[in-house]
Amino acid sequence: LMNDSHGERKKSTIEYRASIIGCGQIGQQYAKAYTTYPGTEIVAIAEQCKVVGEHFKVCALYPEAESLVREVVPNIAVIVTPTKYMKAIVIACAEASVKGISTEKPIAAVLAEADKMVEACNW
């Protein structure tokens, strides 16, 4: 519940709490997109995130995904990092019970790593 401009309580319209993990150019594009989706709020950012956090007014900034999901469990984790980091981040998000995990790039360089990520998400 939130207070409106008249101090009355109203139900929050935020349905989806998203995190952006990886703040290079593509991560910034995802952050920009997620700010336009109705009912969606970016609640945390990880991996090279200070400038992007300031730009999108996100205060919960983390040096890496593992610390983010220890403190904030978003509904959606948008992972936009180099492929070699995907496995650890996807598994950390799955183990933290993040319901929606999105990756922009190929999720793995070898099939066995992709299998481990899928296995972690099948709970």
Side-chain angles (χ1 to χ4, degrees), residues 71-88:
E71 294 187 31
V72 178
V73 179
N75 303 102
I76 303 164
V78 181
I79 304 168
V80 194
T81 63
T83 303
K84 65 183 178 179
Y85 303 117
M86 290 284 180
K87 178 183 169 194

Side-chain angles (χ1 to χ4, degrees), residues 19-37 42 44-58 61 78-81 104-105:
S19 65
I20 307 294
I21 301 170
C23 292
Q25 286 185 335
I26 297 171
Q28 292 175 47
Q29 293 302 314
Y30 273 92
K32 184 177 179 181
Y34 272 82
T35 62
T36 67
Y37 300 155
I42 300 173
I45 297 177
E47 309 279 344
Q48 308 297 320
C49 57
K50 187 175 189 300
V51 172
V52 177
E54 289 172 359
H55 180 76
F56 291 102
K57 298 176 178 55
V58 176
L61 308 177
V78 181
I79 304 168
V80 194
T81 63
E104 205 286 318
K105 299 176 180 171

Side-chain angles (χ1 to χ4, degrees), residues 83-104:
T83 303
K84 65 183 178 179
Y85 303 117
M86 290 284 180
K87 178 183 169 194
I89 297 170
V90 168
I91 291 172
C93 290
E95 289 176 347
S97 298
V98 175
K99 301 294 184 203
I101 301 171
S102 167
T103 62
E104 205 286 318

